[in-house]
């Protein structure tokens, strides 16, 4: 946990990774893509403070000890949620898999939640694998990567009939939270394959599921906000927003946060460090200290200590059923974390809002 000025913050890092992108894991014949992908990822780390930058060799294959120190010992995180990204067209054993993440979690009970994933282009075999992963690892969340390459296909959408088969199966298996990458593109993936419009479609048709849009659709922030504000079950995942903008683009960060707070609401925003792109320590410290830089942003909702407590951990804890000690709970009158009716366009009387 993090403590500042007498206030205690329960921290859930709801978007982080444990990857191997070293040359030993590159698929023969696809080396240029494996190398280009991780080098593009590494370039994004440059948006953080200079003292937090890693050499490319460490970035490709950081260790368990690195992760445990950066995230828990130094990084204030109470519970971390692994979000897998497979990329098996370029990485022999996958880039960041459910299996690898869960194995680390088993060594550190209570520290991690291992989400799994699906790709609807995998057909019946993929449905079977999804069922096996949920049974084996107890996953109640998914990470979906709609721009991933698969046997000549360079992306898919949540509106695809095949995707609906998987979402129906996920719901049947007890999945509650669907994290969808909708944000900055990493070479050589196609930017349009991360468009946010398909989330609107799926969220309406699957009101029992929570759709956490990671990276809030950047650079399509207006598209995301005007979609999310009227969908009770769409949440804003702040990975990349804090890590990529707070230090490098402070004015743009203030605008993005202001738009999200106005249209989506503080109850529907979740912190994610996106480790190992960025370490959580400086993000948490900086966000707790943050406020709008000038009166130019006076038409946005104010940011309170309760706002920051919800975003840094209480909202994600509610979505995942994580027990939060009483000392970290909000005071009476400070709102309900993860409340579906916090958005401008959602009425508390709407049927979908009541499903939360």
């Amino acid at each position: 946990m993090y403590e500042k000025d007498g206030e205690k913050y329960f921290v859930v890092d709801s978007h982080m990774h444990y990857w191997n992108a070293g040359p030993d894991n590159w698929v023969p014949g696809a080396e240029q893509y494996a190398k280009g992908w991780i080098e593009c990822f590494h370039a994004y780390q440059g948006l953080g403070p200079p003292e937090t930058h890693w050499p490319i060799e460490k970035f490709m294959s950081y260790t368990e000890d690195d992760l445990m120190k950066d995230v828990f010992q130094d990084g204030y995180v109470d519970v971390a949620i692994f979000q897998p990204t497979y990329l098996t067209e370029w990485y022999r054993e996958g880039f960041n898999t459910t299996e690898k993440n869960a194995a680390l979690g088993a060594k550190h009970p209570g520290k991690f939640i291992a989400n799994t994933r699906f790709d609807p282009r995998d057909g019946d075999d993929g449905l079977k694998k999804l069922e096996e992963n949920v049974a084996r690892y107890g996953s109640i969340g998914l990470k979906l990567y709609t721009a991933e390459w698969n046997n000549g296909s360079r992306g898919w959408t949540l509106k695809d009939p095949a995707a609906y088969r998987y979402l129906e199966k996920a719901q049947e298996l007890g999945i509650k939270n669907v994290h969808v990458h909708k944000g900055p593109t990493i070479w050589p993936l196609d930017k349009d394959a991360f468009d946010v419009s398909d989330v609107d479609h799926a969220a309406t048709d699957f009101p029992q599921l929570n759709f956490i849009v990671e990276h809030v659709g950047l650079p399509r922030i207006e598209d995301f906000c005007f979609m999310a504000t009227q969908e009770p079950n769409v949440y804003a995942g702040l990975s990349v927003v804090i890590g990529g903008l707070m230090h490098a683009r402070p004015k743009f960060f203030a605008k993005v946060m202001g738009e999200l707070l106005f249209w989506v609401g503080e109850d529907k925003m979740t912190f994610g460090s996106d480790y190992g792109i960025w370490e959580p320590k400086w993000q948490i410290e900086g966000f707790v200290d943050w406020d709008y830089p000038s009166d130019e942003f006076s038409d946005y909702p104010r940011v309170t200590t309760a706002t920051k407590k919800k975003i840094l951990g209480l909202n994600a804890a509610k979505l995942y059923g994580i027990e939060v000690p009483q000392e970290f709970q909000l005071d009476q009158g400070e709102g309900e974390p993860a409340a579906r009716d916090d958005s401008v366009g959602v009425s508390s009387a709407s049927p979908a809002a009541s499903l939360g």
Side-chain angles (χ1 to χ4, degrees):
M1 66 95 179
Y2 182 59
E3 185 170 3
K4 180 74 180 290
D5 297 331
E7 298 287 352
K8 294 181 178 181
Y9 300 81
F10 186 85
V11 179
V12 179
D13 188 342
S14 64
H15 192 276
M16 52 87 65
H17 315 281
Y18 182 35
W19 64 62
N20 175 19
D24 61 311
N25 196 27
W26 296 353
V27 170
E31 294 92 346
Q32 74 273 31
Y33 299 125
K35 182 174 184 290
W37 163 274
I38 197 62
E39 288 179 345
C40 185
F41 242 30
H42 186 242
Y44 277 112
Q45 191 178 67
L47 298 174
E51 64 273 15
T52 67
H53 300 174
W54 298 351
I56 186 64
E57 294 79 14
K58 175 182 177 180
F59 190 82
M60 284 182 173
S61 304
Y62 50 90
T63 67
E64 175 184 342
D65 288 343
D66 291 330
L67 186 155
M68 296 305 295
K69 181 177 187 297
D70 293 339
V71 175
F72 297 103
Q73 183 178 331
D74 296 341
Y76 312 116
V77 173
D78 293 285
V79 178
I81 302 175
F82 279 127
Q83 305 291 358
T85 309
Y86 276 51
L87 302 176
T88 51
E89 297 240 330
W90 309 330
Y91 297 103
R92 291 186 301 104
E93 298 177 356
F95 176 68
N96 161 47
T97 66
T98 306
E99 293 79 6
K100 181 177 181 177
N101 294 340
L104 182 59
K107 295 176 65 175
H108 304 278
K111 291 292 188 183
F112 297 102
I113 292 171
N115 279 358
T116 189
R117 49 80 81 174
F118 68 68
D119 184 330
R121 296 166 296 184
D122 292 338
D124 291 340
D125 289 343
L127 284 171
K128 181 180 178 182
K129 185 63 175 177
L130 173 62
E131 191 166 357
E132 290 173 353
N133 282 349
V134 171
R136 182 174 182 182
Y137 305 118
S139 301
I140 63 168
L142 299 169
K143 172 66 184 296
L144 304 182
Y145 217 74
T146 57
E148 186 165 356
W149 291 7
N150 188 334
N151 292 314
S153 167
R154 289 173 60 155
W156 58 278
T157 84
L158 289 166
K159 296 188 288 187
D160 294 341
Y164 270 44
R165 284 184 69 207
Y166 276 79
L167 289 171
E168 288 164 359
K169 171 59 75 171
Q171 195 167 265
E172 174 189 316
L173 294 171
I175 295 290
K176 300 294 185 185
N177 302 309
V178 181
H179 297 251
V180 191
H181 179 115
K182 296 292 183 179
T185 309
I186 306 93
W187 189 89
L189 301 179
D190 300 331
K191 181 173 76 72
D192 288 349
F194 284 138
D195 185 81
V196 298
S197 61
D198 58 339
V199 177
D200 193 8
H201 202 97
T204 298
D205 289 347
F206 292 90
Q208 296 88 352
L209 296 175
N210 301 309
F211 289 85
I212 300 94
V213 177
E214 295 296 347
H215 326 310
V216 303
L218 287 170
R220 313 164 190 86
I221 185 63
E222 286 84 5
D223 287 352
F224 170 73
C225 284
F226 279 88
M227 178 271 293
T229 194
Q230 48 89 46
E231 292 288 355
N233 54 333
V234 171
Y235 292 74
L238 298 184
S239 53
V240 173
V241 176
I242 296 178
L245 301 180
M246 185 172 66
H247 173 78
R249 297 289 310 280
K251 289 184 179 180
F252 185 48
F253 175 69
K255 171 181 167 53
V256 170
M257 288 297 298
E259 296 291 343
L260 292 170
L261 287 165
F262 181 87
W263 294 108
V264 185
E266 64 183 35
D267 295 348
K268 298 176 68 180
M269 300 164 66
T270 60
F271 168 71
S273 70
D274 225 342
Y275 187 87
I277 305 180
W278 301 287
E279 299 167 12
K281 176 180 169 66
W282 68 267
Q283 297 185 62
I284 294 165
E285 292 174 346
F287 184 63
V288 167
D289 290 344
W290 178 78
D291 203 347
Y292 300 106
S294 69
D295 290 342
E296 175 187 350
F297 302 93
S298 61
D299 60 335
Y300 291 133
R302 297 301 87 191
V303 179
T304 67
T305 298
T307 303
K308 296 171 182 178
K309 287 183 177 182
K310 291 176 184 179
I311 291 172
L312 284 175
L314 298 183
N315 290 338
K318 182 69 175 294
L319 292 176
Y320 277 89
I322 299 168
E323 184 176 352
V324 178
Q326 185 60 41
E327 62 183 311
F328 300 104
Q329 301 280 2
L330 297 174
D331 292 334
Q332 189 171 3
E334 291 185 321
E336 179 68 26
R340 282 187 166 201
D341 61 355
D342 193 38
S343 299
V344 167
V346 176
S347 166
S348 59
S350 71
S354 66
L355 289 170

